[in-house]
Amino acid sequence: MPETPSKPAPAAGAPAAPAEVHFTVNGHTLAAAPGTLLIEACRAANIEIPSFCYYPKLSLQAACRMCLVEVEKIPKLQTACTTVVAEGMVVHTETPTVHAARKSAIEFILTNHPLDCPVCDAGGECELQDMTFRYGAAVSRFDEPKRHRDEQQWSPVVYYDRPRCILCYRCVRVCGEGMDVWALGVGNRGILSTILPNHQDHLECEECGMCIDICPVGALTSGAYRYQTRPWEMQHVGAICAFCGDGCKTTLGVRNGVILRGDNRDKNGINGDFLCVKGRYGTDFTRHPERLKSPLVRDASGELRPVSWAYALETITDRWRGIQAAHGQFGVIGSTRCSNEESYQLQKLARRVLGTNHVDHHRSADFPALFDALAQPAGAAAQPLPQLADSGALKTAKAVLLVGGDPTQEHPLLAWNLRWAHRLAGASLYVLNRRDIRLRRQARRMALLTHGTEADAVRYLAAPQRGDPPQAELTAVSPPGDKRWPQTPPSTPQPIPGGLEEFRAELAQERDVIIVFGPELTGDAVQALVRFGASLPGHTRYIAMADNANSRGAADMGLYPDLLPGYLPVADGAARAHFAAAWGGDIPAAPGWNQRQMVEAVDRRELDALYVVGANPFRLDPVNAANLKSCFLVVQDLFLTETAQAADVVLPALSLYEKSGTVTNTCGEVQSQRRGGSFEGAKTDMEIIHALARLLGADFGRPDADRVFSEIRAQVNGYDVSLVQLMAGRGALAVPRDGAAPRQAAPQMIRPNHDSLFTAGTLGRYSATLNAVLEKHSRP
Amino acid sequence: MSVFSPATRDRFERLAASYPQPRSALVPMLLYAQDELGYLPPEAIAEIAALLGETELAVREVIGYYSMLRTAPAGRYHVQVCTNISCMLRGGEEVLAHCQRRLGIHNRQTTPDGMFSIEEVECMGACAWAPALQVNYDFHQELDPAKVDEILEKYRRQG
Amino acid sequence: MAERPAYPAAHPAEVRVVSQRFGDPRAATLAGYLDTGGYQALGKALGLNGGEAMAPEAIIEEVKKSSLRGRGGAGFPTGLKWSFIPKGGDKPKYVLCNADESEPGTCKDRLILEHDPFAIIEGITIAGRAIGAQRGFIYIRGEYRYVLDIMQRALAEAYAAGYLGANIRGSGFSFDILAHTGAGAYECGEESALMESLEGKRGIPRLKPPFPAISGLYGCPTVINNVETLASVPPIILRGGDWFLNIGLPKNGGPRLFSLSGQVQNRGVYELPLGFPLRRLIEEVGGGVLGGSLKAVVPGGSSTPIFTAEEALGLNLDYDSVGKAGSFLGSGGVVVINDRTCMVRFALRVMQFYRHESCGWCVPCREGTNWLQLALTRFHRGDGRPEDVDLFTDVAQNILGRTLCPLGDAAAMPILSIVRKFRSEFEDHLHGRPCPFAAESSAVPVA
């Protein structure tokens, strides 16, 4: 118990046996699965049992003594958080004795808790305040000096105020058990006890802020938010995180339209308890002083000058009409951070209004290859549908194969769920990677490739008879209870004869495997992976990992030169006819250029207009500035990116947090959100697209996300998801493909960012908090 | 490079191997490390953590818990005076006061020459021979002021 | 340059069983131990002396028959505790000897460890045989360094002579013992905290269940007994449970060691049959109260509720009698208090101890002991208020029975009994009056 997590106690939510036990609480007969904790059974029956230290799915502490209840035939009060329900148990939770015990526990906690609630960040959302209000005494009998200790700053985002700390150890456990970071501990003894950071006076950790989030009081506060406002002055708006592809819910704290924080206050998103550093602290890019506030048009002297919206839009459409009249070439590059509705309307604008299939986005996963492979008759016959797993499925998975990628850095929610499955469901994790990634600590087996690529290894797993096996060392997993971080213990390679053969043989023993794969697999390697997956027993499901908040949505909505929404081939006449009917106009038949080909066309002076929405392609594919002169470049974005700096017209756009719409995470979970913050001077990408369409004579209707989503539901393969589920704030899995998609000609266009926990392309560069964290972590 | 003598380092390795789980050796190792170094400096903590495959945080958590372990130096002769009930009833508090007067330092202080430090401690299991004190690990029992003077003088002479 | 007082000859009232070798220099070596009857019990248990080996169940049965109860404080029947260890199973089993003697007023285990180390080793080995363990640990409090040295020398000798290690004396039974040092923590005397500590962690008590018999050290079935308990085992095996039982009272088998300290003439550690009258212990064995007349007696270490002189003098020292009188026999630490001692100051000193030793894990103990110490300090200083007296009781009541481990009760019980039984002394400190005992120190200087 000292390190708190490894207490040999029944874990909350231990696997339940089929039968139920019956017991009585306050005269009501209740039933629960054997092994259920009394506190959980009561809460499920709406019988409130207060607690501080108890937290679902974390190890049991029995420290705060708030949950003491009377159990008949046991003389002492019992902690409901550690008592397992038993047949015939008779429990009382509302007797004078229990009330007195709660009152006393509050009184004890308050003896050394400063009553600085008026200036405490947690004031108004403090569990101790609430409990004192509900269960505490009206007066304090403690009249001795309180212990004081100065507040400590442990990182750019974590502050610790020992006097406020009630030592519930939630932070220690969530950091260790939940995050596998183990950066917090307990120091000293008795009344001097304190929470310790792992480096004496500071933290070295993932800066996820889970410790702050889970703190029931204001002992741990956020450097990014503290002392800015009072919680009741903010509106709390649920949003989908604008950063990685996992689609966590972050609740925006918005005051007068300004987003002051992201947090996880209701914990009812697909991410449950989890939120990472970006989702929590990255929202401050919306407040960055360099945010574009007005459209800019390059004047005769070559300078970008602020202009009115009307002038900017007319400047664009005048030029575009001219290029159309001259039969010039248009290119459109969409965003991985716009809503589905915007991506859908953007490619509609390109295909139906500008008449081009030169449409693309920054790709980071080969979704078409996956859906194509899944639609193969062999695979389809062997596997029931759907063959896609949502993020939550990882939590209850029996076995997971992780090929490539580094979820800890790039997909923190998937990593959290994988650790959850390992810790609470005993899932077997198999890792195949060239790098010794951190999830190896949860792996049952890791194949650490010493030569060759993940793609080579997957091809070998799918068809071992061909060629020499790629060389891999099967490594032992971390010893249980290992808390060393960030260094994983050095690999102890076990030279197992057969290498990957052994790995495959072990996997073949598993059933219902979920395969999660990174950008290392594209094209035929994805096909091979699905062939291998189909050979495994049970129902194999897949998750492809793509970088950004709506990378998956951009793909699903047809931001491809050769694919229409729902991965229907442009070259397929029936598919074209379908959308031509829906959009009221023809679609060009020939597949267009991809992003790199468009940029190359700029360099050849063959592209006459390029419209870039929420992307920064010139970072990846730089162009010669001289060649840009013959291309009319329009960029809409939040900031003056490298690409925007080269533009003829720049349009200030609103961020994902400032608009309503749907977003699809990397697993395919569609989620809906309402506008959170606002920003004077900028417009949503949809408003801009619709305005441009209208000026070009096409009526896209009101720029209303709900209306466009209705069209998407009707027209796009797999998107007829449950509206009820969406409105309830849950993810609805879109399974977009039931027929073969053409092989992508350009697997080299899968270009992942390899973001770390603290980087996120343009948005990250404009987040003061992420930069502060990054700076701290890059110091030697 | 080890902060410990080769003999101590050897002893640690043997100790770690003598338990079903090496971590069990942590508390004894810390105490023996302190015996050798006078306290537990960061380098010692780091070395012990590495030796046992634990984090420094885990080691610090443990150090903070045990009252005999310290991360700052004490005097060469650490005078630990019991004032718990059996000693109190026989003059333990007076012994403590006498030590403080004689050495010119307060509880938890060290003489300027680094020779002595004083700590009021809890029951040391000398109740029937109270009042008692320990200098480092050596017990001195059935004390009175004159005997305390004699004891302190003996240590002082020992240097 | 540590001092080792010579051990006095037995008082006529004593029945020396675990103290049979106290003061006998021969017991320091294995040869001497063998000369004084050592290892005959293990010989009997393992059938080394020609006889048949005892079945493990028979060993447990004999211990049950002796009615030996734990000498550490809780007084749980030892044989019953051993019988909780599941038979068979894959996991190793362990015997732990709790030599973390830290209860104020208790200094008896130190003497066994010092004067008769092999008896403890023999007792642990027999316990190991009884429960099917192959490994034992002796957890010695860090302050007892010289005791650790003694024990390690004894262990080395026992290994060298084949009384420990593989195939003990050709019996086919293998057993290892390691002596382990603590580093200053009263709480590690609590069995599960001791296991945490022995695993190299902070000594925070564990949740129960599971109990140590199922999941103890390293999550394995574990028996943990006090030093004196284990040292009582060889005589019980050798001479039979009935013999031991008959020394004491029904359900209170044997003699036990009492640490007599405080304001009494002949302080010391005495082995007396259970049921021995406290009056005789103080007046006859102890030679009477020193420096005044009797005011109060702590019967079993600082955590046990205190008795007034009147209560004490009618009391017999066995588990059940002391229990019936509202306290505990505890660790057998009898502390005698004369009538010139301030009970407020006494209560404060007790609370200072528990505040210092609270592990801090759970709220009532951590915050309650701190509160009481602060309030008692203020009160004793002369800044008390009339309502404080009830507050002390109230705060202690709020600790009592609501903590994770028994330390909370240990802190609460003495203050509750002191306030109840010596309330007038608290009232005498009120209204700015100085401590009525301040003029003369109650402490009795050593003659």
Side-chain angles (χ1 to χ4, degrees), chain B residues 68-102:
Chain B
M68 290 174 72
L69 301 176
R70 54 180 176 257
T71 51
R76 184 178 315 154
Y77 299 111
H78 188 48
V79 181
Q80 302 145 84
V81 185
C82 175
T83 59
N84 208 312
I85 50 173
S86 296
C87 283
M88 181 183 94
L89 293 171
R90 300 303 290 254
E93 292 180 340
E94 289 74 8
V95 168
L96 175 65
H98 185 77
C99 288
Q100 292 177 342
R101 262 197 314 275
R102 187 60 58 188

Side-chain angles (χ1 to χ4, degrees), chain B residues 117-143:
Chain B
S117 50
I118 296 181
E119 186 178 354
E120 180 183 9
V121 298
E122 297 300 345
C123 182
M124 55 176 66
C127 315
W129 311 282
L133 60 77
Q134 272 187 294
V135 177
N136 300 343
Y137 292 108
D138 291 341
F139 279 90
H140 299 277
Q141 303 170 159
E142 309 203 59
L143 302 171

Side-chain angles (χ1 to χ4, degrees), chain A residues 580-725:
Chain A
W583 299 342
D586 283 343
I587 298 165
W593 293 331
N594 64 36
Q595 177 173 314
R596 179 176 290 161
Q597 288 165 331
M598 283 186 250
V599 173
E600 284 165 359
V602 171
D603 267 336
R604 294 194 308 274
R605 304 191 177 217
E606 286 173 14
L607 194 70
D608 301 287
L610 181 59
Y611 179 30
V612 177
V613 175
N616 190 14
F618 294 173
R619 246 199 141 193
L620 271 179
D621 300 306
V623 288
N624 183 339
N627 297 331
L628 261 176
K629 292 215 172 81
S630 64
C631 176
F632 177 63
L633 176 61
V634 177
V635 175
Q636 73 197 40
D637 210 318
L638 280 69
F639 300 101
L640 206 59
T641 62
E642 286 85 343
T643 308
Q645 282 166 30
D648 295 289
V649 182
V650 179
L651 301 173
L654 289 170
S655 75
L656 194 54
Y657 294 137
E658 294 151 346
K659 59 180 69 154
S660 301
T662 65
V663 174
T664 307
N665 79 354
T666 196
C667 308
E669 291 161 86
V670 184
Q671 299 182 84
S672 157
Q673 70 169 19
R674 297 284 129 197
R675 187 169 68 89
S678 56
F679 189 80
E680 191 96 8
K683 292 181 187 296
T684 67
D685 294 288
M686 186 185 297
E687 285 168 336
I688 300 169
I689 292 163
H690 281 226
L692 291 170
R694 193 169 50 248
L695 287 171
L696 293 170
D699 183 9
F700 278 11
R702 270 183 303 116
D704 174 68
D706 290 348
R707 204 185 52 76
V708 177
F709 188 64
S710 297
E711 182 179 333
I712 292 171
R713 286 188 74 227
Q715 303 299 338
V716 181
N717 224 334
Y719 269 72
D720 51 346
V721 294
S722 156
L723 284 182
V724 174
Q725 222 167 317

Side-chain angles (χ1 to χ4, degrees), chain A residues 1-2 4 7-8 61-63 65 76 104 107-108 111-112 141 143-144 166-167 169 186 188-190, chain C residues 184 196 201-202 204-205 207 356-364 366-367 370 378 385 394 398 402-403 409:
Chain A
M1 190 163 83
T4 70
K7 179 174 269 199
Q61 312 290 288
R65 318 308 282 182
K76 284 184 183 182
S104 156
E107 183 178 41
F108 278 138
T111 58
N112 274 303
R141 299 185 295 172
D143 197 22
E144 318 302 330
I166 64 170
L167 294 167
Y169 318 112
V186 185
N188 299 340
R189 183 172 86 190
Chain C
E196 287 286 310
K201 303 172 189 165
R202 295 162 61 81
I204 308 290
L207 297 182
H356 185 259
E357 298 301 335
S358 169
C359 78
W361 187 259
C362 74
V363 166
R366 178 181 72 233
E367 304 294 342
N370 180 61
R378 172 175 56 76
R385 294 162 309 202
D394 230 42
N398 284 339
R402 295 189 189 157
T403 54
D409 291 352

Side-chain angles (χ1 to χ4, degrees), chain A residues 100-131:
Chain A
R102 288 175 186 165
K103 195 166 162 183
S104 156
I106 293 281
E107 183 178 41
F108 278 138
I109 289 169
L110 290 176
T111 58
N112 274 303
H113 187 89
L115 300 179
D116 62 347
C117 313
V119 293
C120 174
D121 264 341
E125 38 190 18
C126 168
E127 293 179 38
L128 180 55
Q129 269 186 340
D130 295 346
M131 298 253 207

Side-chain angles (χ1 to χ4, degrees), chain A residues 745-762:
Chain A
Q748 76 275 12
M749 291 308 293
I750 309 293
R751 293 180 292 179
N753 288 326
H754 294 304
D755 275 319
S756 77
L757 275 170
F758 313 126
T759 64
T762 303

